[in-house]
Amino acid sequence: MESGYEEQFRYISKSPADTERLAAWLARRSIPGTVIGLDGDLGAGKTAFSQGFAKHIGISGVVNSPTFTIIKEYEGRLPLYHMDVYRLSLDEADELGLDEYFFGEGVCLVEWSSLISELLPEKHLHISIETTNISERVIIIKSLGEPYGQWCRELNENGVNIDE
């Protein structure tokens, strides 16, 4: 496991519905200040994960990648700040004042988060999505701090229970 990360959960998604099931599980546990970094190749499913997460945090509108706008804000049970930092340098990202989002009253989903890892809060959840074939993904969740460590422990003990 990468240096610093405390707990890990490995999930095999065989369909977009499986990915949404995991996103829903995490959305239900999210609280103000939740920060989730998302990494994976183009087309791996970062935006699909974000769409499922948004749906289960109570956002009814269309959620798409904020590639050109950098940050999109949505209102649900909690505000959702969906970020795509792919086109930013570390300095440019730093100038955006991301701390206001990271330590605010909402949830941050940061696509391509590894590009700004130095700017992420000390405590966060990191999700890596790897394409294994046309429909299957390996999703690795790593925690740094609480409550994220507890989330990984629960996932390891019980899996993704859709009947919660």
Side-chain angles (χ1 to χ4, degrees):
M1 195 175 332
E2 289 177 47
S3 174
Y5 287 102
E6 298 161 351
E7 302 285 340
Q8 178 174 305
F9 174 70
R10 185 173 187 269
Y11 182 71
I12 304 294
S13 171
K14 296 186 180 293
S15 68
D18 282 352
T19 299
E20 182 178 334
R21 191 171 295 116
L22 176 62
W25 192 96
L26 293 168
R28 284 193 298 273
R29 282 154 182 79
S30 292
I31 58 173
T34 296
V35 176
I36 300 174
L38 295 166
D39 282 290
D41 292 336
L42 287 170
K46 296 178 298 297
T47 300
F49 175 90
S50 298
Q51 290 167 335
F53 187 95
K55 175 182 172 183
H56 292 279
I57 207 163
I59 295 164
S60 58
V62 174
V63 173
N64 49 31
S65 180
T67 302
F68 297 103
T69 56
I70 311 302
I71 301 171
K72 288 189 177 179
E73 298 182 23
Y74 302 93
E75 288 299 323
R77 175 178 64 82
L78 295 169
L80 174 64
Y81 309 116
H82 186 199
M83 306 173 185
D84 184 326
V85 298
Y86 183 75
R87 299 184 184 288
L88 297 179
S89 70
L90 191 57
D91 288 338
E92 290 169 330
D94 194 26
E95 290 173 11
L96 284 176
L98 298 178
D99 281 357
E100 291 181 34
Y101 293 98
F102 294 154
F103 298 103
E105 293 301 311
V107 175
C108 293
L109 291 180
V110 185
E111 294 190 28
W112 301 100
S113 66
S114 62
L115 298 175
I116 63 160
S117 59
E118 296 90 342
L119 301 177
L120 294 174
E122 187 176 312
K123 296 178 180 182
H124 66 275
L125 194 70
H126 182 260
I127 298 175
S128 176
I129 305 173
E130 178 185 331
T131 303
T132 55
N133 65 45
I134 194 146
S135 61
E136 188 175 276
R137 306 292 188 263
V138 174
I139 302 174
I140 305 292
I141 300 175
K142 297 177 183 177
S143 71
L144 193 57
E146 297 300 335
Y148 311 112
Q150 181 60 37
W151 295 359
C152 285
R153 288 187 292 277
E154 287 179 31
L155 285 165
N156 279 312
E157 290 171 16
N158 305 314
V160 178
N161 184 350
I162 61 171
D163 298 325
E164 295 182 339

